[in-house]
Amino acid sequence: MSLRDFAKLCGISHTHIDSIEKGVDPRTNKTVRPTVETLNKISLGAGISIKKLVDLSMDITSDEIPLIQSKEAKCKDLIEFLKQPEVLLDGKLLTEEDKAKIKASLKIIFHDVKQEKKREKS
């Protein structure tokens, strides 16, 4: 996943993500200290808890982050993911009603895909 794609998923600018990753804002040469809100957006985008995000930041280099993200993403159930209290879509927080509509849509789409696969086998 590109930095821009990940930033869009998190609802944060790609330049800010880059500064956080490097630890320094290139415009000011000042240390970057992300807020709890920013860490929350990053953890939601990555599909991991803030605690895991902080733990990972202590134990790995930035080169290892994409590998960990891809492993985490493979283990997520979409319906379970939508049960989280704060889920963003295009940087906007989803309401419970939004989540219910998305769940219903996913179930319909999944059913249609299964039916299509059955027809292809016949």
Side-chain angles (χ1 to χ4, degrees):
M1 177 182 298
S2 73
L3 182 67
R4 287 180 190 266
D5 289 339
F6 182 66
K8 191 180 282 187
L9 186 64
C10 296
I12 302 171
S13 75
H14 69 279
T15 53
H16 190 48
I17 296 269
D18 185 57
S19 295
I20 292 169
E21 191 174 44
K22 291 177 180 169
V24 174
D25 184 332
R27 298 167 295 175
T28 62
N29 285 330
K30 291 185 178 179
T31 301
V32 175
R33 299 192 193 291
T35 64
V36 172
E37 180 182 352
T38 299
L39 291 174
N40 190 48
K41 287 180 179 183
I42 292 170
S43 71
L44 287 171
I48 60 176
S49 68
I50 291 178
K51 181 186 180 327
K52 177 129 181 160
L53 183 66
V54 172
D55 289 347
L56 290 172
S57 72
M58 303 299 216
D59 295 333
I60 63 170
T61 66
S62 60
D63 293 342
E64 297 171 299
I65 290 173
L67 179 63
I68 289 166
Q69 288 171 344
S70 66
K71 286 180 183 175
E72 289 285 335
K74 289 178 188 175
C75 299
K76 298 295 177 194
D77 178 279
L78 286 172
I79 301 300
E80 289 300 313
F81 179 78
L82 288 170
K83 290 179 182 176
Q84 295 181 76
E86 293 183 346
V87 177
L88 301 174
L89 179 64
D90 291 332
K92 295 181 180 155
L93 193 61
L94 296 176
T95 65
E96 290 304 315
E97 183 180 341
D98 296 333
K99 292 178 195 179
K101 288 178 182 178
I102 291 169
K103 288 176 194 176
S105 298
L106 287 171
K107 288 178 181 181
I108 291 168
I109 292 167
F110 186 68
H111 174 73
D112 290 348
V113 168
K114 284 176 28 180
Q115 293 301 101
E116 183 64 32
K117 285 182 181 181
K118 283 181 183 178
R119 283 190 288 263
E120 288 174 1
K121 287 182 180 179
S122 310

